[in-house]
Amino acid sequence: MAVGGVEKAKRVVVVGGGIAGGIIAKTLQSRSEVTLIDSKEYLEIPWAQLRSMIEPSFAERTLIKHSEYLTNATIITSHATNVTNHHVQTDDGQTFPFDYLVVATGHAGSTKVNRKDRLEHFQQDYEKIKASNSILIIGGGPTGVELAGEIAVDFPEKKVTIVHKGPRLIEFIGPKASRKTFNWLIKKKVKVILEQTVDLQSISEGGGVYVTSDGENIYADCHFVCVGKPVASSWLHDSILKQSLDKKGRLMVDVNLRVKGRNNIFAIGDITDVHELKQGFVAEKHALLVAKNLQLLMRGAPDKKLETYTPSPPIAMVSLGRKEAVAQFPFGTLFGWVPGMIKSKDLFVGKTRKTLGLKSTEMS
């Protein structure tokens, strides 16, 4: 609708300030009236968390205040609690109207609201690792494996144990890559216990003894829980989108990444039900595609002109310390220094910062 001969900017509300939410807000801020609602004041590059636990100064580049890259958007630091047909409500009592809504709340992440507190948390993890002779890692998915690799390379004198409930490590990639990863960890003197669990309810930090589901005692000075986190969609359970959630709490989307049955609501990143590996580069693809589709809709384009999303093939990289990695591509598996050169040195942090319009090396 034109006001005084000038087309009024459309209001786009983005809920969630992770990779997907941050990139789409950055892309649209000069073309529409963007409001980003996030529970914290910063964007965190999630796949760099484990390096930051070993090298806290690394987090200076991976924790980016939203205000650094969103220079023409409204930033609301609050939890979204509900969505209606035209508004998003937050837990501090505010209401934000939208013409278009993008849900990008992903998986549950850090509860630290302030960047300073998150940096301090990484420092505390580093001090805990440094002070411990033995470390238990619960969970042998990509997070647990990468943490074990970081510790084994930077602190080779530490005794590291992984307990994983599955029959093999990092089960989302192929058996060959999983086997090579297992052998690499064993070579680094990491103990791997498969098909067992640790009762998380009985754990107390500093107790020193952990009991597995098979009754095996593990002695460790500290532990880290590296199991999968739930999708951050509980705030939608009593909203107009409650029928749009699948059994796993993910939003069901169509080929345009629009929430099924909704004309003006999109979902991107880990919260979608798209059948593909949930990874950072995939979240970026979602964000850029929906940004294009929103710009088309704002110009009055019909639905048939919208871009369609093709799920990404199973490409995955898991870092093994600072120089090596395991990578799975559709054509096969790579292991060692070559994939390590691609990912492990900088963990794509410089590239991600550039996507947000920031210098790759400059600290926040």
Side-chain angles (χ1 to χ4, degrees):
M1 178 178 152
V3 179
V6 178
E7 189 72 24
K8 188 177 180 182
K10 295 292 186 181
R11 299 164 300 180
V12 178
V13 172
V14 179
V15 181
I19 294 297
I23 289 175
I24 195 168
K26 166 75 170 64
T27 305
L28 293 174
Q29 66 176 344
S30 62
R31 300 170 173 88
S32 54
E33 187 181 308
V34 172
T35 299
L36 176 74
I37 300 173
D38 191 29
S39 59
K40 55 195 189 314
E41 67 173 13
Y42 58 91
L43 179 154
E44 177 166 4
I45 300 176
W47 56 86
Q49 290 176 7
L50 307 168
R51 178 69 51 82
S52 298
M53 293 169 65
I54 302 300
E55 182 188 342
S57 61
F58 194 71
E60 293 284 354
R61 293 171 59 228
T62 68
L63 301 177
I64 304 164
K65 281 193 174 183
H66 294 310
S67 57
E68 284 193 56
Y69 66 93
L70 293 178
T71 55
N72 194 34
T74 301
I75 302 164
I76 303 298
T77 305
S78 186
H79 288 272
T81 55
N82 195 14
V83 56
T84 68
N85 285 316
H86 300 289
H87 297 84
V88 174
Q89 298 166 357
T90 55
D91 64 359
D92 55 1
Q94 296 188 77
T95 299
F96 299 92
F98 62 83
D99 296 302
Y100 297 99
L101 170 65
V102 181
V103 181
T105 43
H107 285 87
S110 171
T111 58
K112 305 296 182 184
V113 174
N114 300 313
R115 180 177 181 273
K116 180 182 176 182
D117 293 339
R118 184 61 168 144
L119 285 169
E120 178 60 30
H121 189 249
F122 282 128
Q123 184 66 38
Q124 291 170 1
D125 282 340
Y126 168 75
E127 297 295 344
K128 184 164 76 168
I129 292 168
K130 188 178 177 183
S132 300
N133 293 316
S134 52
I135 300 158
L136 170 63
I137 296 172
I138 301 168
T143 304
V145 165
E146 288 195 350
L147 179 58
E150 295 283 348
I151 296 173
V153 167
D154 275 36
F155 298 98
E157 74 282 2
K158 309 289 186 189
K159 181 183 177 183
V160 180
T161 302
I162 296 177
V163 176
H164 182 57
K165 68 178 180 180
R168 61 184 179 88
L169 298 172
I170 44 177
E171 292 161 279
F172 73 97
I173 63 176
K176 181 181 178 182
S178 179
R179 185 171 62 254
K180 284 180 174 289
T181 301
F182 178 90
N183 292 337
W184 185 91
L185 289 168
I186 297 301
K187 189 176 179 181
K188 296 292 184 184
K189 297 183 170 54
V190 174
K191 184 178 181 181
V192 180
I193 300 173
L194 297 173
E195 298 186 87
Q196 293 192 50
T197 58
V198 175
D199 182 6
L200 301 181
Q201 303 303 318
S202 65
I203 290 175
S204 61
E205 195 68 77
V209 182
Y210 303 82
V211 182
T212 72
S213 51
D214 281 5
E216 181 176 346
N217 286 342
I218 299 171
Y219 299 89
D221 297 324
C222 71
H223 75 275
F224 293 96
V225 178
C226 297
V227 297
K229 296 177 180 177
V231 176
S233 61
S234 60
W235 67 285
L236 296 172
H237 289 174
D238 294 320
S239 75
I240 62 163
L241 297 180
K242 62 184 178 182
Q243 300 298 330
S244 301
L245 297 169
D246 69 7
K247 292 180 180 179
K248 294 182 179 179
R250 303 171 304 188
L251 281 169
M252 296 179 284
V253 294
D254 62 21
V255 293
N256 308 124
L257 297 182
R258 190 157 42 181
V259 174
K260 289 182 178 178
R262 299 286 169 178
N263 290 326
N264 63 337
I265 302 178
F266 291 78
I268 55 177
D270 290 1
I271 200 168
T272 67
D273 71 335
V274 179
H275 188 64
E276 61 190 350
L277 296 179
K278 305 299 185 183
Q279 299 184 94
F281 80 94
V282 171
E284 181 178 341
K285 285 176 61 179
H286 287 193
L288 295 176
L289 181 135
V290 171
K292 288 181 182 178
N293 283 342
L294 283 172
Q295 290 173 68
L296 286 168
L297 289 171
M298 289 175 201
R299 292 198 296 265
D303 284 2
K304 65 181 181 181
K305 293 288 186 180
L306 298 183
E307 291 205 16
T308 59
Y309 182 74
T310 302
S312 291
I315 298 172
M317 281 195 185
V318 177
S319 293
L320 299 171
R322 294 177 181 268
K323 294 182 178 179
E324 297 180 82
V326 59
Q328 177 177 284
F329 299 100
F331 59 80
T333 300
L334 293 178
F335 188 89
W337 296 83
V338 173
M341 289 173 64
I342 298 172
K343 179 182 181 183
S344 297
K345 184 178 179 180
D346 190 55
L347 302 176
F348 304 126
V349 171
K351 179 180 181 297
T352 304
R353 289 180 61 87
K354 285 182 178 178
T355 301
L356 292 168
L358 304 173
K359 291 182 179 179
S360 63
T361 55
E362 192 174 84
M363 292 185 179
S364 296

